[in-house]
Amino acid sequence: MADEATRKAVSQIPLLKTHAGPRDRALWPQRLKEEYQALIRFVEQNKAADNDWFRLESNADGTRWTGTCWFIHELLRYEFRLEFDIPVTYPDTAPEVAVPELDGKTAKMYRGGKICLTEHFAPLWARNAPRFGLAHLMALGLGPWLAVEVPDLISKGLVVHKEQQREAAE
Amino acid sequence: MATVEELKLRVRELENELIKCKQKQCAMEDALHRPKIDKMSAEVVDSNPYSRLMALKRMGVVEDYEKIRTFTVAVVGVGGVGSVTAEMLTRCGIGKLLLFDYDKVELANMNRLFFQPHQAGLSKVEAAELTLRNINPDVLFETHNYNITTMENFTHFMDRISHGGLEEGSPVDLVLSCVDNFEARMAINTACNELGQIWMESGVSENAVSGHIQLIIPGETACFACAPPLVVAANIDEKTLKREGVCAASLPTTMGVVAGLLVQNVLKYLLKFGSVSYYLGYNAMQDFFPTMAMKANPQCNDRHCRRQQEEYNKKEAQRPKVEVVEVEEDVVHEDNEWGIELVSETTDADLQAASGTMPDLPEGITVAYTIPAAQDTTNGETVEETEQSLEDLMAQMRKL
Ligand SMILES: [Zn+2]
């Protein structure tokens, strides 16, 4: 599975209780509340551990999520926009997280900038459905992906720090 | 002032427009070359595109080949497998095809069959329709360029499956899943369970050397949610399989074979000849084709699957002679030469922590992973009851 730090972070995220997807009009609002509760707790924990690394927010009905994630590499902060839709089959299947601005820069991505998760992710999600939520998706999916891909993209010059980019342009 | 990037984009857009115009023109010209054919003829003349197909009837292989023109098939996913599937059905003279895909043709797709470099930039459904209409103007086409897994599109998708038949308002005869991801398969499964729609699933493994097709009759055979995904053991040592730096591999050969197996099963099912496969695997490394059938799981997570099972069982009980799909009871051998593992890619620690029961599967077929039978709900802290409204929580999240 994941490394020890990820394991620890995931174990601190509260599990969700309501098994409902966006098509379930009656129960989805409750699930959505639980999603926000878990996300808020996860972000607070990250802050406390001096490892704050993403923000997310949704549209009113909670079906489309957008936000930012960032990665610190050699004291520089690299920030990326992220987005995903909640599929009708959620929470039995996880959403496909996209980082559009990295589309075409790495082979670990499907078209549209959807990140390609490790082979461990699908079994983990399936085994823990419906108790895993979006916070778990961030911790087990996007987090490890960024940790592997961003340093690689920086070393290949495919991702350039915004400040340096500006300097180079001037 | 427009940037170079913006101008490049605009040039690309205009190029695509031009391609579309050219193709439309070609399609119109070609349509003149080959007018629509009202009735399939068995006459063997070089101008009859159906003579060799109608020969199946003369030879006694198929009782009534012309019946193919009365059927509607929906193809979901028009990629490596779906495009070839659609082409085969078009050439066979299917009545109507519905095509669903949200993707565009890319040059990176050119290791696969069907699409051509000049179509890059067009939506897959649009490019496919132009080519297919050209091949056989007798087929009716309906295309939808969207992702079926989102709320709005899913509702529309369900509506077209239940009303998009040849006679408007009637359901399609068969749905074919040619998608490349779990979410989309589950979405098709959800729709078909709700509608009681018979469908066939197809798939090619991410390492491109195995694939499968599966017939799903809601309530009767196992649906996609009845068991963890069934996969063909490719007999590759997972520990030596390198995944760094790549998402998925693909081969036109494997995708072509799977499309062929799928459409063969479709023809046998629709035209009632031969025996229809419930699950047919393809192991390209050893050229092994395992088959099996699996009954629906009474504990399936999908409540519509359980409802369909009740209805099926009721109907079966009323029938004088019960004909049940036999589940092959082959037990997995301990010294398995096909390299079956409970969960191939995970570590031993993961297996011990979370392995569930392994269904009885014939040699060469396994599951992608197992699910623990009963989840220990006391394990791990859950979210607390809260007085806060959703709006409060949203605001709190924004303020962090
Ligand atoms: Zn089921």
Side-chain angles (χ1 to χ4, degrees), chain A residues 73-140:
Chain A
H73 183 75
E74 288 171 355
L75 302 174
L76 292 173
R77 176 183 155 123
Y78 297 83
E79 192 172 298
F80 310 99
R81 208 162 48 72
L82 71 116
E83 60 183 42
F84 56 88
D85 289 303
I86 299 289
V88 287
T89 48
Y90 187 80
D92 295 321
T93 68
E96 296 181 293
V97 179
V99 186
E101 62 203 276
L102 296 181
D103 192 12
K105 292 187 175 181
T106 159
K108 296 291 263 184
M109 217 167 219
Y110 298 106
R111 65 251 178 255
K114 289 172 179 170
I115 66 168
C116 172
L117 299 171
T118 71
E119 68 275 18
H120 305 297
F121 184 81
L124 264 179
W125 187 273
R127 284 177 184 138
N128 292 286
R131 301 187 301 157
F132 271 10
L134 300 176
H136 298 88
L137 172 67
M138 291 292 110
L140 289 166

Side-chain angles (χ1 to χ4, degrees), chain B residues 189 193 216 218-219 221-227 295-306 309:
Chain B
N189 190 61
N193 276 338
I216 297 168
T221 67
C223 85
F224 198 67
C226 277
K295 273 193 243 178
N297 174 5
Q299 270 96 48
C300 180
N301 250 335
D302 187 327
R303 69 187 166 94
H304 289 284
C305 174
R306 299 195 304 268
Q309 289 181 49

Side-chain angles (χ1 to χ4, degrees), chain A residues 1 14-15 17 22-23 33 37 41 47 55 87-88 93-94 107-108 110-111 114 116 119 126-127, chain B residues 102-103 149 154 183 194 206 243 245-247 343 345 350 354 369-370 375 381-385 388 400:
Chain A
M1 193 188 115
L15 296 166
K17 292 187 280 199
R23 294 180 74 219
K33 274 174 71 171
Q37 284 178 275
R41 176 80 81 78
K47 280 181 157 184
R55 283 295 181 280
V88 287
T93 68
K108 296 291 263 184
Y110 298 106
R111 65 251 178 255
K114 289 172 179 170
C116 172
E119 68 275 18
R127 284 177 184 138
Chain B
Y102 66 93
D103 212 1
T149 70
F154 185 74
E183 293 74 27
E194 278 189 45
E206 297 215 320
R243 289 173 193 271
V246 280
C247 260
V343 186
E345 300 99 344
D350 279 347
Y369 44 81
T370 61
Q375 282 179 351
E381 179 203 357
T382 54
V383 286
E384 290 156 10
E385 298 297 325
Q388 286 178 290
L400 279 174

